[in-house]
Amino acid sequence: MFHVKQFDVIVIGGGHAGTEAAAAAARMGSSVGLVTLDPAKIGVMSCNPAIGGLGKGHLVREVDALDGIIGRAGDAAGIQFRLLNRSKGPAVQGPRVQADRSLFRAAVQDLLGKLSGLTIIRGEVVDLVERDNRISGVVLADGTSLGARAVVLTAGTFLNGVIHIGDVSRPAGRVGDAASEKLAARLAALDLPRGRLKTGTPPRLDGRTIDWGRLERQPGDEDPVMLSFLSSGPVVPQVVCGITHTNGRTHDIVRANLGRSAMYGGRIEGVGPRYCPSIEDKVVRFADKESHQVFLEPEGLHDDTVYPNGLSTSLPADVQEAYVRSIRGLEQVRLTAPGYAVEYDYVDPRALDRSLAVRGIEGLYFAGQVNGTTGYEEAAAQGVVAGANAARHARGEAPIVLSRTESYIGVMIDDLTVRGVTEPYRMFTSRAEYRLTLRADNADQRLTPMGAAVGLVGAARLAAFDKKIATLEKARRVLSARRFSPQILASAGIPVSADGRSRNLLECLGFAAVSQETLAVLEPEAAAIPPEAVSQLRREALYATFVERQASSAAAIRRDEGQALPEDMDFGSIAGLSEELRGKLMRIRPANLAQAARIEGMTPAALLLLLTRARRENAQRARA
Amino acid sequence: MDTIYALSTARGRAGIAVVRVSGPAATAAGVALCGALPSPRTAALRTLRRGGDVLDRAMVLRFSAGASATGEDVVEFHLHGGPAVVAAVLGALAAVPGLRPAEPGEFTRRAFENGRMTLTEVEGLGDLLQAETEAQRRQAMRGFDGALRRAAEGWRGLLIEAAALLEATIDFVEEDVPVDVGPTVRALLARVVLDMERELSGFAVAERLRDGFEVAIVGAPNVGKSTLLNRLAGRDAAIVSSEAGTTRDVIEVRMDLAGLPVTLIDTAGLREASDPVEAIGVARGRDRAQAADLRIILVEDGRLPEGVCPSASDIVLRAKADGDPGEGEGVSGATGAGVDALLERIASILSARVAVGGLVTRERQRAAVFRAKGLLESAMIGLDRGQVAELVAEDIRGALAAIEALAGRVDVEMVLGAVFSQFCIGK
């Protein structure tokens, strides 16, 4: 028998989910093997060259708060920084960065290289070693066996991936990569429920052939906001993006060629996202709209490629060229690569539990696009959770589960594992019930302590975090030390109602225009508070009353989330439930009481029946 | 944890009705209604007030967290039975911050979770819980509630539309979505608020339709109130004697009057009572009469009974109209003279009130609509003051959650669906 190399955790796939999973497990001290088809492609951005945004920026900050790599790599590669929604409150502001592809890839590989215990292995996984529903390793295409206590699969779009360019289709994971058909066949044998999704990309343009002078320009923010809590500012030169619009002629060309589109020609069965329609979709579904905007995003400082965001398509290459050239500023443009649609299998994420482990198979975790999500950020966030839980599983420790009430990651994983997906799942701030508390600005306050407690957060970040918290605490003390009457506050220029109620300065921060100088008039010590600490306290004060209002319902949800329902609970045999509810419970199979409570038509009385049954079954199990 | 309240005794007419409040704000709620509370585990008589209005004189009990039926702070009000009193007290509790009506089974769940009931005890309640879920289902199917559900679904549709507009400006700021949705959102909210107001104003009548109108017969002792009651009711419900002060407590007779449920109340004769027992009866009678929907005031020798000041809607009649003819309309329980005319008059007054009736018939529904309306008003104020979109959106979310029990849950997918169907999202 050959010697089998043994790891604590093996991660299959080197995309955004895979790298975060491998890095998370390595940070926790596990020995990790990251198996990828091509190590040079680790950190490749296969879709648009941007990271963050609304909801997505929140996810990046959360991954960063757990000491993940996507935020730092994005900042290192950032060639344009914009904080979206500046005109609204901080809860719905999301940091976004335009990233240089090659710098991003280099930054990811660099950050991975610094992790001890992480081995990168070139190879194709063709088999999982499994016995009695327990994973113990993987087999590579060359016959090598690798042993592991836990395996994280991040197969992206590689499972039965098919690329469509007009009437030409071929199997492939993404352009230039082979699909993982053998692994797909192996997974089929696990008999997990699956579905088919599709996503699209636009053609790529040669920036030197764009007439930039005729286009609206979009510069970055003057005071850039970084993705990572650890970054202090951009490190490479900044660029400007362009904006242009489709027109009637563009739409005519698309309409005339719909039959040649892979999607409209009936060659695609997968469901695409409603929020990222192809140009064909836009022309058909919003027929009365005369124009759609197109963002021209440079792919790098030393790369002339431009990504025309808003033009994704599965039309044939010649049609793509024709409609792109109908657009203002792009009349002479050269296409460097055609756009394409990719169809792929995803595993119904309802087959996973909230630790992202496959139910019923010990030691197997899924993360990323294979779970039906879309986006680097969604993938990275799942990667951290799956990697951390794989590491904990390898040590025989209980999994980490994030609550909906404390993180976007928790919202996403709960949505995925309870509801499944009907289209590629993307994060929006509207998905978070506790949006006002789950802000990008406080992701570290929400998650870093937990991350540190389980060993996910390294010493450098923890030190920076502790310092920040100490500053905030001190500022809080200074600003809440004394109370002032409305008259005194008004005389200092703080507009409060003359209701006779005295207030401290912390409360006053919620009023829009109270400057630090004004605070210092009443409390001289306030002058010494770092401005960023004042800003952070101001963000908290803005939502204080709303957050209080939500506190009791958030507590109730957390309590219900903690009340697990046995995995094999027989919902069908619970007396007293209506037929309708029983049917829904059997279909959805909630993992805890909070999930059950969200089922339409659920009543407190029915929840009580579930709770008593769960306690009864748990008690019987404990005795057995 | 929310503080919950509910009528714990059976709905409808009973000597005593118990309203129970449980949760962290229970003590505060007790204080709000009756001032100082008795010390834990002792009963005391208190006057319950809302603002300046006296709601009832009731026995009040208080239990501390850890030593109560639910394990939380609990306050119990033992009220005089009767829908008007119960409704008034529930309404007063609804106005206390942090309180909401309990869902069926909720007291039990709290008791269970706080270790105040064993698994076996709860399972023993299985039939009861089944009945409750079944009752909820039936309730949703029934006519009036069904109509309310339809109205609530209308509100829900408008609110989803409003939420979608706002959420589009929040989540898709980079996309081709309208920037200033404020006026459209405001118009949608205003429509719903107006509608909710109309339904709430009809609440009292709708509640009467379910629980019955109270019609009190008021008059001096021995003016013939009990005789009239018996005549109206067509049976001997009250003890009739010629000795003044016979009716010492409140006597009630339920009847159907022109299709309306009516409870006739015969009260102790209003006079300065020398007998202390009778004095209590008189006081109680006065309170009940005051709370009634309609009063029939019997006048003898042209004199109004002591302490009675008829309002415009009250019916004032000459008592014992069987004897000497006098001025004004009269009625006689003994001979039946004027009884038909009286019945007709009562029916026409009450029918007129029903004509403006609303769909909101239960306190729980009222509280939900009331809460939703308050949040929507807050959202409108926010829009007017230029508040950031996510705070306005928060109020709308709260309003949707409040009417969840009436109209079903609104999932974020519905809001997103509305966004994606309306706007071309996707750059």
Side-chain angles (χ1 to χ4, degrees), chain A residues 282 419 543 550 560 616, chain B residues 109 123 390 394 411 426:
Chain A
K282 288 182 184 182
R419 287 214 287 237
Y543 298 116
Q550 294 185 334
D560 283 355
R616 168 74 72 206
Chain B
R109 177 167 175 199
E123 281 173 339
E390 72 269 25
E394 203 61 37
D411 197 271

Side-chain angles (χ1 to χ4, degrees), chain A residues 10-242:
Chain A
I10 283 177
V11 176
I12 306 171
H16 303 268
T19 50
E20 291 289 357
R27 288 200 299 281
M28 289 176 72
S30 294
S31 64
V32 181
L34 172 59
V35 186
T36 175
L37 294 170
D38 182 357
K41 284 191 173 163
I42 288 176
V44 160
M45 294 195 280
S46 52
C47 193
N48 65 323
I51 291 172
L54 298 167
K56 288 167 171 283
H58 292 74
L59 284 173
V60 170
R61 281 282 176 85
E62 291 183 356
V63 172
D64 188 66
L66 297 171
D67 218 3
I69 58 183
I70 189 170
R72 281 178 286 166
D75 285 340
I79 53 178
Q80 186 190 74
F81 292 83
R82 284 194 304 129
L83 181 67
L84 304 189
N85 261 343
R86 273 189 189 265
S87 68
K88 303 190 181 69
V92 295
Q93 292 174 354
R96 179 185 192 274
V97 59
Q98 207 65 51
D100 178 298
R101 285 185 191 282
S102 62
L103 289 178
F104 183 82
R105 188 176 61 184
V108 168
Q109 294 185 7
D110 178 52
L111 287 165
L112 285 183
K114 287 180 181 154
L115 292 165
S116 59
L118 173 61
T119 311
I120 293 169
I121 300 156
R122 178 193 297 270
E124 182 191 358
V125 172
V126 294
D127 201 4
L128 299 172
V129 184
E130 175 215 342
R131 200 166 159 190
D132 300 334
N133 293 323
R134 190 177 181 148
I135 295 289
S136 61
V138 301
V139 180
L140 305 186
D142 64 4
T144 313
S145 284
L146 302 173
R149 290 175 215 253
V151 171
V152 182
L153 179 90
T154 68
T157 60
F158 282 65
L159 293 182
N160 293 324
V162 177
I163 277 179
H164 302 268
I165 303 174
D167 39 19
V168 184
S169 305
R170 63 184 149 79
R174 26 174 209 225
V175 137
D177 291 314
S180 308
E181 285 172 4
K182 290 193 185 109
L183 187 56
R186 178 63 183 85
L187 287 177
L190 291 178
D191 208 21
L192 298 171
R194 292 206 274 184
R196 202 143 172 84
L197 291 173
K198 72 132 200 163
T199 185
T201 64
R204 305 302 160 88
L205 313 178
D206 181 344
R208 291 168 300 184
T209 59
I210 294 174
D211 187 355
W212 293 99
R214 302 185 59 204
L215 299 177
E216 188 187 327
R217 309 303 295 274
Q218 188 179 44
D221 288 347
E222 291 194 2
D223 51 337
V225 172
M226 302 286 103
L227 296 177
S228 170
F229 289 103
L230 294 182
S231 307
S232 50
V235 291
V236 294
Q238 300 296 290
V239 302
V240 174
C241 297

Side-chain angles (χ1 to χ4, degrees), chain A residues 315-383:
Chain A
L315 283 162
D318 59 313
V319 181
Q320 294 187 27
E321 189 175 81
Y323 81 71
V324 170
R325 286 186 171 182
S326 73
I327 297 170
R328 182 186 173 87
L330 305 182
E331 293 86 351
Q332 307 295 323
V333 85
R334 195 174 69 80
L335 271 58
T336 57
Y340 61 90
V342 55
E343 256 192 309
Y344 55 96
D345 280 2
Y346 74 98
V347 172
D348 184 342
R350 286 173 292 192
L352 310 176
D353 67 22
R354 288 204 298 160
S355 73
L356 293 181
V358 177
R359 295 189 207 206
I361 301 175
E362 213 180 304
L364 183 59
Y365 297 79
F366 280 15
Q369 210 164 357
V370 69
N371 291 340
T373 62
T374 173
Y376 311 139
E377 305 83 355
E378 287 82 355
Q382 293 171 65

Side-chain angles (χ1 to χ4, degrees), chain A residues 345-513:
Chain A
D345 280 2
Y346 74 98
V347 172
D348 184 342
R350 286 173 292 192
L352 310 176
D353 67 22
R354 288 204 298 160
S355 73
L356 293 181
V358 177
R359 295 189 207 206
I361 301 175
E362 213 180 304
L364 183 59
Y365 297 79
F366 280 15
Q369 210 164 357
V370 69
N371 291 340
T373 62
T374 173
Y376 311 139
E377 305 83 355
E378 287 82 355
Q382 293 171 65
V384 171
V385 172
N389 282 324
R392 286 178 71 83
H393 177 79
R395 291 184 209 156
E397 292 170 351
I400 302 164
V401 169
L402 297 177
S403 163
R404 290 187 79 86
T405 63
E406 66 186 6
S407 65
Y408 275 83
I409 302 179
V411 169
M412 173 175 66
I413 293 180
D414 194 55
D415 281 349
L416 291 175
T417 57
V418 176
R419 287 214 287 237
V421 299
T422 50
E423 67 182 332
Y425 180 96
R426 174 181 147 185
M427 186 47 75
F428 304 111
T429 70
S430 42
R431 294 196 193 275
E433 292 87 344
Y434 299 98
R435 174 161 68 185
L436 303 183
T437 349
L438 307 188
R439 305 192 303 273
D441 65 70
N442 67 5
D444 53 348
Q445 288 162 267
R446 291 183 279 120
L447 294 176
T448 301
M450 182 280 282
V454 300
L456 257 177
V457 173
R461 181 179 299 268
L462 190 57
F465 174 75
D466 286 343
K467 193 173 155 214
K468 173 178 170 179
I469 293 301
T471 310
L472 278 177
E473 283 305 321
K474 180 158 181 239
R476 250 187 223 115
R477 268 201 310 278
V478 167
L479 295 179
S480 59
R482 289 192 289 152
R483 305 183 74 82
F484 301 92
S485 70
Q487 289 77 14
I488 294 181
L489 291 169
S491 69
I494 299 175
V496 294
S497 55
D499 55 3
R501 200 169 73 80
S502 70
R503 294 173 172 84
N504 66 35
L505 294 179
L506 203 54
E507 294 171 70
C508 295
L509 270 184
F511 303 111

